[in-house]
Amino acid sequence: MDNILAALLGYLIGSIPFGLLLTKAAGLGDVRQQGSGNIGATNVLRTGNKKVAAATLLLDLAKGFVPVALAGAIWGEVAMAFAAGAAVIGHCYPVWLGFKGGKGVATNAGVSFGLAWPIGLVYAAVWLGVLAAFRISSLAGLCAVVAAAAAAPLFGYPQFFPVLDAIAVLVIYLHRANIARLLKGEEPKVGGKT
């Protein structure tokens, strides 16, 4: 029962569509009608409003971190994994938006920090490093989710590898169109034309 409650908590918090709520509140319209059609920070950045994009990024991070931290404090490590997976699923498939949300990169960053700070640091370092080197958001996210899964057993948290591995598979699946463009050399860069 504890794990079910943790998963429910993770899903409900993870499914809050901050990107959509913030862009509408800022008078920027429906972020789903532009760019990739997603509600994540990268697509919000395409509105040209960096402050709203930054706020979206921070809140999407928080909605991964908060349910994992709460689950750990209330129910323990196993519940943390359930909350982690459910938070990312909630972001990617929010019930409020007909199960069409974002791609889980920022939320998984929050999840990684919530599970164990060394995993979070690896996630952040890879994400920021690849983004700085190539300026391709999707590539940075894909590398980061794989790095987080690999970091779990390497840094002494093998119990979190299964959920981070499952999240990585989901994130890679949701980025399949991006991967196709990457292979063709057609994936847009951050700050470039979409």
Side-chain angles (χ1 to χ4, degrees), residues 72-91:
I74 299 168
W75 299 297
E77 273 193 353
V78 175
M80 289 171 72
F82 278 85
V88 175
I89 290 170
H91 175 74

Side-chain angles (χ1 to χ4, degrees), residues 1-9 71 74-76 78-80 82-83:
M1 189 64 183
D2 290 350
N3 295 334
I4 294 172
L5 290 172
L8 184 60
L9 176 71
I74 299 168
W75 299 297
V78 175
M80 289 171 72
F82 278 85

Side-chain angles (χ1 to χ4, degrees), residues 18-59:
F18 287 118
L20 178 63
L21 295 173
L22 291 175
T23 51
K24 284 194 171 184
L28 300 171
D30 189 334
V31 71
R32 298 172 297 177
Q33 302 303 314
Q34 66 176 22
S36 65
N38 291 316
I39 61 170
T42 299
N43 203 40
V44 172
L45 185 59
R46 294 186 178 112
T47 66
N49 192 315
K50 293 180 180 179
K51 289 182 179 178
V52 174
T56 300
L57 176 63
L58 290 174
L59 287 169

Side-chain angles (χ1 to χ4, degrees), residues 40-161:
T42 299
N43 203 40
V44 172
L45 185 59
R46 294 186 178 112
T47 66
N49 192 315
K50 293 180 180 179
K51 289 182 179 178
V52 174
T56 300
L57 176 63
L58 290 174
L59 287 169
D60 282 352
L61 280 161
K63 71 184 187 182
F65 178 84
V66 169
V68 173
L70 286 174
I74 299 168
W75 299 297
E77 273 193 353
V78 175
M80 289 171 72
F82 278 85
V88 175
I89 290 170
H91 175 74
C92 299
Y93 301 103
V95 64
W96 330 110
L97 303 180
F99 301 102
K100 181 168 173 49
K103 294 182 179 177
V105 172
T107 303
N108 193 32
V111 158
S112 296
F113 274 104
L115 291 173
W117 66 264
I119 299 173
L121 285 181
V122 169
Y123 194 108
V126 171
W127 187 13
L128 294 171
V130 174
L131 188 61
F134 298 99
R135 291 181 44 235
I136 300 176
S137 179
S138 60
L139 180 62
L142 289 165
C143 291
V145 295
V146 172
L154 290 175
F155 285 85
Y157 302 96
Q159 68 274 31
F160 297 137
F161 174 77

